[in-house]
Amino acid sequence: MEWARRRRAERDARRVEAAGARALNRLDHLGPSWHVVDWPRTDSPEAQIFDTDRSHDDRAGFLAIGPSGLFAVTIADHGRSRVMVAGDVVQINGKRPTYVGQARRDAKRASKAMSAATGHTIPVTPVLTFVGSGVISVYGLPKDCLVATHRELDRLLVAGGSRISAATAEKLSTVARHPSTWLNAPYRSAADYRWYEGGRTAADKSAARR
């Protein structure tokens, strides 16, 4: 029985990984101003770093950072099954996985970690992306969470227009790739991130008038 469970878990992990790759392929042509970063999405980042068996996670995900902002993309593989979406409720094969709630928690956790690492408030938008060939019926979209198929993901991300510069997007991707960002350390990240143009520092800013 243990052998069968391991084989099933390995098969599911490969399926989820393939679904994530299909979604990533849609972002290849967005250009150099967009960055994709893999990141730990579990409640305990430390546990995931030392736990190499991630087959228990039935989702794939990544951060997409570009001119439209930061997005925590959660991938749900529904295969050939029909999906019904009604607000926060997602129903697949009679089951109701909490994908929307999980996507929101992932985005909130990413925003908290990025904000702590940079010293600025960094909003992160949750995006739930379905990968599969089954029919998706939508009877109402959830609030504060974007929903799309993997074929629509690239268009969805760029629909927000230009909210941040390409330079800021690159800096944020550097922060996201640094391991200490996700460790919730009580000290500043070891990387020295500069958030002022032309080599200026905080001391170069003019004093605020009282």
Side-chain angles (χ1 to χ4, degrees), residues 10-82:
E10 291 171 358
R11 183 176 64 250
D12 292 343
R14 289 194 297 269
R15 176 177 55 81
V16 171
E17 183 178 357
R22 292 174 64 184
L24 281 172
N25 288 338
R26 300 295 303 182
L27 307 184
D28 286 343
H29 65 278
L30 289 181
S33 59
W34 281 88
H35 310 270
V36 176
V37 182
D38 190 17
W39 63 296
R41 295 175 299 113
T42 62
D43 291 332
S44 176
E46 294 87 348
Q48 180 165 347
I49 289 176
F50 295 102
D51 182 10
T52 57
D53 181 11
R54 298 177 59 185
S55 59
H56 61 278
D57 195 349
D58 61 349
R59 298 165 296 145
F62 52 84
L63 285 179
I65 305 174
S68 300
L70 278 75
F71 301 87
V73 181
T74 296
I75 307 296
D77 181 13
H78 64 97
R80 299 179 180 178
S81 302
R82 180 178 179 181

Side-chain angles (χ1 to χ4, degrees), residues 179-191:
S180 64
T181 298
W182 309 105
L183 292 178
N184 295 325
Y187 49 82
R188 181 176 175 85
S189 172

Side-chain angles (χ1 to χ4, degrees), residues 77-182:
D77 181 13
H78 64 97
R80 299 179 180 178
S81 302
R82 180 178 179 181
V83 179
M84 290 186 291
V85 180
D88 290 0
V89 178
V90 176
Q91 182 168 313
I92 304 175
N93 290 333
K95 299 180 180 180
R96 295 186 175 182
T98 58
Y99 285 149
V100 174
Q102 291 169 350
R104 288 193 182 116
R105 286 192 293 272
D106 286 344
K108 184 177 181 180
R109 191 174 300 117
S111 176
K112 182 179 180 180
M114 293 289 291
S115 299
T118 62
H120 297 263
T121 301
I122 307 296
V124 179
T125 302
V127 180
L128 177 58
T129 303
F130 291 101
V131 178
S133 57
V135 176
I136 300 179
S137 302
V138 179
Y139 301 96
L141 293 174
K143 295 181 179 179
D144 304 323
C145 180
L146 303 179
V147 178
T149 66
H150 73 283
R151 299 182 182 87
E152 304 168 334
L153 181 58
D154 53 340
R155 295 193 296 270
L156 178 67
L157 295 183
V158 300
S162 296
R163 298 180 179 179
I164 60 177
S165 66
T168 299
E170 184 174 359
K171 290 180 181 179
L172 290 174
S173 69
T174 301
V175 176
R177 288 188 174 92
H178 203 283
S180 64
T181 298
W182 309 105

